[in-house]
Amino acid sequence: MGRPPCCDKVGVKKGPWTPEEDIMLVTYVQEHGPGNWRAVPNTTGLRRCSKSCRLRWTNYLRPGIKRGSFTDHEEKIIIQLQELLGNKWAAIASYLPERTDNDIKNYWNTHLKKKLKKLQSGSGDNQSRFSSNSHSISRGQWERRLQADISTAKQALQDALSPENTSHLSESYTKPVQSYSYASSTENIARLLKDWVKNTPKSEESKCSSTQNSTNNYSDELTPSTHCTEGKSGIDLSEAFESLFGFETFESPNSEEFSRSGSPSLACDEIKPDPSDLAPLSMLDNWLLDDLRKDYLTNLSFDENPDLF
DNA sequence: AACGAGCCCAACCGCGCACCG
DNA sequence: ACGGTGCGCGGTTGGGCTCGT
């Protein structure tokens, strides 16, 4: 018996996602939470495979995703964890909550692999420094600590998200988790719409496949919302979007900062985010990365090899 | 300015695992 | 115990973009 196709191939759309499709998907997640992807096409009317929906959400629309180039710190973590875990991108991504496994995988394949290869050919023993460092703890210890850390992180996340505990988060972390999640998700859509609106009037005949460019440019182009009044479709979509999400995304001079600042206006009680898909709490985030940095990276001899970074 | 090569990244594909009845 | 189903993961691909000539 052959494996049944994950979805009905007839009438299933492929290729880049349009902003409209993104909105439909986000709307579904807002209402039902992430999961039950099989139901998404039927529920939303999206002509997309359930897997495609899940992938789009996890790799692109999910709240808290950081885009743009990787920092040196992130790079180091990836290199170390790849050395330790191999191509377990999901596991590596769990230590970089703002990055998706796909992003990390791509970054590894396009940048880091070459970098290390170059380094390896340049000086023979540099590679071995990563794999057998005299200062580093043993592989077994690493793995045990990783496991422990992941478990602890999950517990911390659950604790932090439980209603009775959210109130005692320290003052510096008082941003509402739900709002953060919500706003970040909104921000992701907003960036798509913004670019889409900007591009559509110029080339109406062109297909709406500008999502790639829009995301790449957005972080450097957090301009005031003048674009959203350009073009009819922009107005309609923007208004629809605003009404959909209940606040004026396009009025934000800097939507990223806005979303992270935890503005009270972003509160949205009807959202019931799944804890596993929430944006990483800063506290947890910092804890993970700080712990990594302190306990692991300082034990390793990156500094012995300044040429690498 | 035009063209081709290489790069980059979003999306797809197929497999394996976990869960459920 | 077993088959069906859904989801997650890692590898791969295709098309747009950038850069060099």
Side-chain angles (χ1 to χ4, degrees), chain A residues 67-138:
Chain A
R67 312 207 74 83
S69 57
F70 283 68
T71 65
D72 282 356
H73 182 220
E74 289 173 320
E75 206 169 85
K76 289 175 184 177
I77 291 175
I78 292 168
I79 290 172
Q80 273 302 318
L81 290 177
Q82 202 282 337
E83 174 72 16
L84 175 70
L85 301 170
N87 295 353
K88 303 294 182 188
W89 306 118
I92 294 171
S94 70
Y95 271 81
L96 294 169
E98 294 182 320
R99 301 290 187 179
T100 69
D101 54 353
N102 207 37
D103 269 350
I104 293 171
K105 181 172 59 182
N106 282 332
Y107 189 66
W108 174 264
N109 287 330
T110 56
H111 291 90
L112 296 180
K113 213 154 78 173
K114 290 175 193 169
K115 203 168 184 174
L116 288 179
K117 202 171 183 177
K118 200 173 171 182
L119 195 81
Q120 194 174 14
S121 63
S123 63
D125 64 344
N126 278 333
Q127 178 68 17
S128 63
R129 276 190 194 178
F130 281 102
S131 55
S132 60
N133 189 297
S134 61
H135 295 120
S136 65
I137 55 181
S138 71

Side-chain angles (χ1 to χ4, degrees), chain A residues 245-264:
Chain A
F245 291 106
F247 72 95
E248 298 178 337
T249 304
F250 294 91
E251 296 302 314
S252 169
N254 184 328
S255 60
E256 181 169 32
E257 186 184 331
F258 199 58
S259 67
R260 293 177 186 277
S261 69
S263 166

Side-chain angles (χ1 to χ4, degrees), chain A residues 187-205:
Chain A
E187 171 200 335
N188 289 342
I189 295 293
R191 81 174 69 134
L192 299 174
L193 281 172
K194 213 169 181 180
D195 191 75
W196 187 77
V197 163
K198 202 165 47 180
N199 291 340
T200 302
K202 294 179 195 168
S203 54
E204 286 183 2
E205 74 283 2

Side-chain angles (χ1 to χ4, degrees), chain A residues 21 28 45 79 102 124 126 131 142-143 167 224 228 235-236 251 256 265 279 281 297 302 308:
Chain A
E21 289 176 315
Y28 173 87
I79 290 172
N102 207 37
N126 278 333
S131 55
W142 262 85
E143 288 171 348
S167 59
C228 60
I235 293 171
D236 293 340
E251 296 302 314
E256 181 169 32
S265 68
L281 293 168
L297 297 179
F302 285 113
L308 177 59

